[in-house]
Amino acid sequence: EADIYQTPRYLVIGTGKKITLECSQTMGHDKMYWYQQDPGMELHLIHYSYGVNSTEKGDLSSESTVSRIRTEHFPLTLESARPSHTSQYLCASSEVGRENTEAFFGQGTRLTVV
Amino acid sequence: AQKVTQAQTEISVVEKEDVTLDCVYETRDTTYYLFWYKQPPSGELVFLIRRNSFDEQNEISGRYSWNFQKSTSSFNFTITASQVVDSAVYFCALSEEGGSEKLVFGKGTKLTVNP
């Protein structure tokens, strides 16, 4: 069982609100990722980090921002939520420097903006 | 550019049937990694297998087996004697950067196993 946690699991929020989705892992992994999953199921990488103070944008443009102040914590923030942000957000982590590692995923946050 | 195609959007079978989920990938790199993940209704992605481009051996793990063919750029997944608990969305994914960095996912195949 993976030790990566996301909160909240479900969030319904009004347009214009600021929200932060939390992601924490206890495995000491340096690499962390955020994926956005469409209602049609496809997943796209929106942010990733290779360690503390390292953040990069992924393949899918996103209005969200991330920070990596501690190894175990990789929160995602939306300054002003809009209905187009309605989606599931999945956080993942993996080890650095191991050939046979895999990414461990959290259970996701299902965000609905009304 | 990388791309993963899972042409089967939904598959429905009766328990104990065998089922194969197709995955076709595109990449310009000679070194790459392929993955299968399972997403049950609870939402998390569960890792099933990782295969690098230099290892074309097929793999069997219990009722699961994978057929990797570089000649056709395919990495198909077969469940033998399917069970209701196998019902989930299955994703095939590709990474070009040595590990699980920046996975490119297919659109997923929703498998329903009926009793």
Side-chain angles (χ1 to χ4, degrees), chain B residues 7-98:
Chain B
Q8 305 148 307
T9 304
E10 292 193 40
I11 299 176
S12 182
V13 299
V14 177
E15 208 169 17
K16 298 185 183 177
E17 281 186 43
D18 298 347
V19 58
T20 295
L21 309 182
D22 297 332
C23 173
V24 174
Y25 62 92
E26 295 176 30
T27 176
R28 294 178 188 165
D29 278 17
T30 55
T31 301
Y32 52 89
Y33 299 80
L34 295 163
F35 303 80
W36 275 94
Y37 281 88
K38 174 182 180 180
Q39 187 175 41
S42 52
E44 77 277 21
L45 284 173
V46 178
F47 169 80
L48 295 177
I49 190 171
R50 179 187 191 270
R51 173 67 78 230
N52 72 51
S53 53
F54 299 111
D55 183 2
E56 283 195 76
Q57 281 189 346
N58 293 328
E59 180 153 340
I60 298 175
S61 175
R63 296 184 296 108
Y64 295 170
S65 62
W66 290 270
N67 183 357
F68 177 28
Q69 292 196 338
K70 288 178 74 171
S71 61
T72 55
S73 297
S74 66
F75 187 44
N76 297 336
F77 172 33
T78 297
I79 302 174
T80 302
S82 59
Q83 300 176 1
V84 173
V85 293
D86 295 327
S87 297
V89 180
Y90 291 86
F91 289 94
C92 181
L94 167 71
S95 169
E96 291 180 341
E97 296 195 16

Side-chain angles (χ1 to χ4, degrees), chain A residues 52-112:
Chain A
V52 171
N53 295 326
S54 151
T55 60
E56 302 286 345
K57 289 191 177 294
D59 302 323
L60 180 69
S61 176
S62 173
E63 293 169 344
S64 58
T65 59
V66 292
S67 62
R68 190 88 184 275
I69 298 172
R70 303 197 316 263
T71 298
E72 62 271 21
H73 197 211
F74 191 41
L76 180 146
T77 298
L78 277 165
E79 290 292 333
S80 179
R82 295 208 301 267
S84 61
H85 297 139
T86 295
S87 191
Q88 167 143 277
Y89 294 85
L90 286 155
C91 181
S93 72
S94 65
E95 280 189 80
V96 171
R98 283 187 58 201
E99 206 37 46
N100 291 316
T101 188
E102 75 267 20
F104 294 92
F105 282 80
Q107 288 192 301
T109 294
R110 190 170 296 281
L111 172 67
T112 302

